Amino acid sequence: MKFNKKFYSFAAAILSIGLLVSGCGEDKKDAATGSGSTDEKVQLELWLTPQWKGVQDASEDGADYDSFFKKAAEEYTKENPNVEIDVQVIPGEERADKLSVAMQTKTLPDMFFDSAFALTEYAHAGILAPMDDIIDDESKKDIPETIWENVQINDETYFYPFSHNPGTLAYNAEMFKKAGLDKYISGEYEIATWTPEEYEMILETLKEKLPDISPMGLFAKNNQGDTWNLSYLTMFGNKIYDKDGQIVVNEKNGVKALDYIKNLNDKELTTAGAETLSSNDVNAMFQNQQVAVSFTNSVLFNGILNDMENGIVNKFDLRLANIPGEKNPTSFTYVAGGAVFNTGTEAEVEASKDFVKFFSTDKELVKASKNSLPVRESVSEEAVSELPYLEAYNKNSENIFNFSNNTPGYAELRNAFFPELQAVFTDEKTPKEALDSFTENGNRIIDTNTEKSVILK
């Protein structure tokens, strides 16, 4: 894949990299063979944001977010008794702060499992280890090129793709039926598509027929879940970025889209006080059947279904929908995988890469990728009977857009975006004023961070 500097993310966190890069080399020979063959005692730490519960399934006894990686560590250390692996779950909203502190105090974990877009800034900071030396030809062929392109920078791979996680809307079909909206309900394993006009009518009908619930979940407290809010700006065909990688959301149809969302909020068709609500708040309200239409991705969606089966959440008819579009609907996906921080000793970096390769290639462990969607075609083929939504997600791939554009400074862009939404929802700014401000600040962030990337020099 040829490098184009407009397409790669970089973050403000590199302000601290001078404290971090410790000049540690890599033993390419051992890492390439995946042997992990060192007699040196190695203690490793892996962080992850909440992904799925259990090793393979949330119905397992004691299933939790760290179960898979604890099991992987247990299996790995049987063959590598000199390696000890500690696993820690980090809330997504705390990721940036915890990593910032860890950078400043030189206490970064050895590994991190997360969506690639959320960590790409650390590759640009020069503190993620490339891992092409642990990727064999079989894996290259088993995982589509479009997935590899999401985890590569300047022809080097910084994340070992494990799964991907399509983002859509979710809705309570029982509420739709009660409101007489049966014609807008998709099949059980299909993804509904509505136009903006239809969507507004759906929300108005829900408010009229079911006045005790919020028709739509809307939030803007912080940058978590902001991919959905960014996607709303494409509803009338506007692009987020132009061909040169510059933000253009303040063009006519981008403003029209934010006007549309603001109108829904003003008409009380959304959760009240969106500017004070986080995505976690809205997700909880949706599960408690206080909201009819909310955001979801395949991991969240499967999590709710599993919680229903286990009696944690009261059962309801849960279905999927695209983000509405005037001409074409919108969807996106996150590619998740393991990354290695290149800040430990040579033995630690080597063992970390070997462990990432282990859980990313082990024939049993990779089956856990079915908790979102597998990136490996071999796993998809084997698990197709267990993945009733797989066909719908695959068909929906034509509606996916690259929400980050792998843009330099994307982490900073996220922090510049949600305050503008808050200003709109509190009437401090018009949609046009807010998007003009975001566009100006955002393009300055992109230009500045393009120049700062360590690995692009």
Side-chain angles (χ1 to χ4, degrees), residues 209-261:
K209 302 293 185 181
L210 304 172
D212 294 332
I213 61 100
S214 295
M216 175 188 176
L218 188 63
F219 51 87
K221 182 178 181 179
N222 53 34
N223 65 13
Q224 295 300 291
D226 57 356
T227 317
W228 284 268
N229 289 335
L230 193 67
S231 298
Y232 294 145
L233 301 183
T234 70
M235 292 175 70
F236 294 95
N238 213 91
K239 303 292 186 184
I240 305 299
Y241 312 92
D242 67 13
K243 60 182 178 62
D244 296 319
Q246 294 288 292
I247 295 172
V248 291
V249 292
N250 63 336
E251 292 180 346
K252 179 180 178 181
N253 285 331
V255 175
K256 181 178 180 180
L258 189 52
D259 272 327
Y260 173 90
I261 295 297

Side-chain angles (χ1 to χ4, degrees), residues 51-52 54-57 68 113 142-143 161-166 298-299 302 336 359-360 362-380 383 386-387 390:
Q51 302 290 328
W52 66 92
V55 178
Q56 297 286 347
D57 192 278
F68 172 84
F113 187 95
D142 200 23
I143 300 173
F162 186 87
S163 60
H164 73 111
N165 190 6
S298 55
V299 171
N302 288 333
F359 71 71
S360 301
D362 181 85
K363 292 190 182 300
E364 288 302 314
L365 291 174
V366 295
K367 293 178 182 178
S369 60
K370 70 182 186 295
N371 283 286
S372 48
L373 282 187
V375 293
R376 291 182 175 271
E377 294 176 354
S378 59
V379 178
S380 293
E386 303 175 60
L387 302 172
L390 181 60

Side-chain angles (χ1 to χ4, degrees), residues 430-451:
T430 66
K432 173 64 172 171
E433 291 170 340
L435 292 182
D436 281 344
S437 176
F438 175 62
T439 299
E440 180 181 354
N441 291 333
N443 286 330
R444 182 169 57 247
I445 289 169
I446 291 171
D447 293 342
T448 299
N449 287 293
T450 296
E451 296 299 319

